[in-house]
Amino acid sequence: MIEIRNLSFGYTRKSLLFKDLDLSLRRGHIYGLLGKNGAGKSTLLKNMIGLAYPQAGSCSFNGINVSGRPVAVLEEVYFLAEEVFVPSLTPEQFAASTAAFYPKFSNADFYQYLKALDVDATAAMDKQSFGQQKKAMIAFGLATNTSLLVMDEPTNGLDIPSKVQFRKLIASLLTEDRCIIISTHQVRDLDSLIDTLLILHDREIVVNHPIEEITEKITFGVFNDTTGMQVLYEEDGMRGKNAIIKNTSGKFSKMDLELFFNAVTTGSNTLIQILKAD
């Protein structure tokens, strides 16, 4: 699906966001892309779809170089940017004027998603709140039925019920032929949604692992005392120590995305080494 090879990119030649970055993304997965503010998550997404041009290396979609934005790529990719800029049209008018660019667009799906997200199809989008605008564009993006769906901070501006509905819709859309990539700094919004975690840190993808594989190797828990445990990372919490320890029992625990992200981005090299071990 997506193949990035030796990608180097920077907004100036003296300061690179990525250097010799490699990444492969496959169909049938929901990827969660995490990183600190300024790490380059949005820029990486734009490189994936041809909206940014690398200084070296390449990015291809289904074997086609995305540079130049060929039609074969555009009709199979939908990108929802963090900031949405809507025209002075209603959602139904927007779909009528734009859907033709996506061969697999479904009007029936579009109205179903608008209803699920509580969006009025006949209200001018530019007169609505940012959250309503975002939901209208999410509904349109889902209805394109593209094989690659890329979303940058899609839950920004959404209230709690809308976030819950968003997660339900995304989970229902995944098929063996589709790849979904969601970038966010709101770690908890990806909880129980993604199946593969990507973490961008210090110009590298330092984590690229299925959630199931992570929880096979490490355990998350709250402990009164971690003395004598193989602690890989811990933080003080209200109920005790929130800790990541090596999984020696063979039992699975629930993934704590926020704790794991903090561990990785504060330099837990042992944790990374355990994940990379066969």
Side-chain angles (χ1 to χ4, degrees), residues 71-268:
V71 172
V73 171
L74 294 180
E75 65 185 14
E76 280 295 334
V77 174
Y78 184 81
F79 175 58
L80 178 71
E82 178 179 3
E83 297 295 331
V84 295
F85 299 95
V86 297
S88 184
L89 298 172
T90 66
E92 61 183 8
Q93 289 171 334
F94 179 77
S97 64
T98 311
F101 294 104
Y102 299 95
K104 293 185 284 187
F105 185 88
S106 167
N107 267 304
D109 289 348
F110 180 52
Y111 285 101
Q112 176 186 336
Y113 300 144
L114 287 175
K115 182 178 180 180
L117 292 167
D118 194 24
V119 177
D120 185 349
T122 63
M125 292 190 291
D126 64 333
K127 305 299 182 185
Q128 302 301 306
S129 69
F130 177 72
Q132 290 299 103
Q133 294 175 8
K134 198 75 171 279
K135 289 192 291 184
M137 298 310 294
I138 287 172
F140 181 84
L142 302 185
T144 61
N145 291 302
T146 54
S147 58
L148 179 62
L149 178 62
V150 181
M151 312 184 88
D152 190 7
E153 303 287 356
T155 57
N156 274 7
L158 270 57
D159 57 22
I160 292 175
S162 297
K163 289 182 178 182
V164 172
Q165 195 62 43
F166 169 80
R167 286 195 292 268
K168 288 180 179 178
L169 289 176
I170 292 295
S172 71
L173 286 173
L174 184 65
T175 66
E176 292 183 355
D177 297 322
R178 200 170 202 183
C179 176
I180 301 173
I181 307 167
I182 303 172
S183 171
T184 186
H185 69 277
Q186 300 184 45
V187 177
R188 293 182 181 178
D189 287 347
L190 296 183
D191 194 35
S192 302
L193 176 61
I194 63 172
D195 59 63
T196 305
L197 179 63
L198 307 171
I199 295 182
L200 178 62
H201 184 60
D202 285 344
R203 303 191 300 175
E204 297 181 84
I205 297 290
V206 294
V207 171
N208 180 5
H209 295 281
I211 297 295
E212 184 177 344
E213 182 181 303
I214 294 172
T215 54
E216 272 183 3
K217 296 182 177 182
I218 60 177
T219 296
F220 301 83
V222 180
F223 307 93
N224 292 326
D225 185 3
T226 56
T227 303
M229 296 181 178
Q230 291 182 280
V231 177
L232 303 171
Y233 180 79
E234 66 181 14
E235 295 177 356
D236 290 328
M238 295 293 292
R239 295 184 296 134
K241 292 186 180 294
N242 301 313
I244 301 173
I245 63 175
K246 189 172 181 180
N247 187 355
T248 57
S249 68
K251 297 180 180 179
F252 287 84
S253 63
K254 189 179 187 314
M255 177 85 173
D256 186 330
L257 277 176
E258 186 171 350
L259 189 67
F260 183 80
F261 177 76
N262 291 343
V264 169
T265 56
T266 53
S268 182

Side-chain angles (χ1 to χ4, degrees), residues 23-34:
L23 181 63
S24 296
L25 304 179
R26 301 288 178 241
R27 298 174 186 270
H29 293 284
I30 301 177
Y31 293 92
L33 175 62
L34 304 181

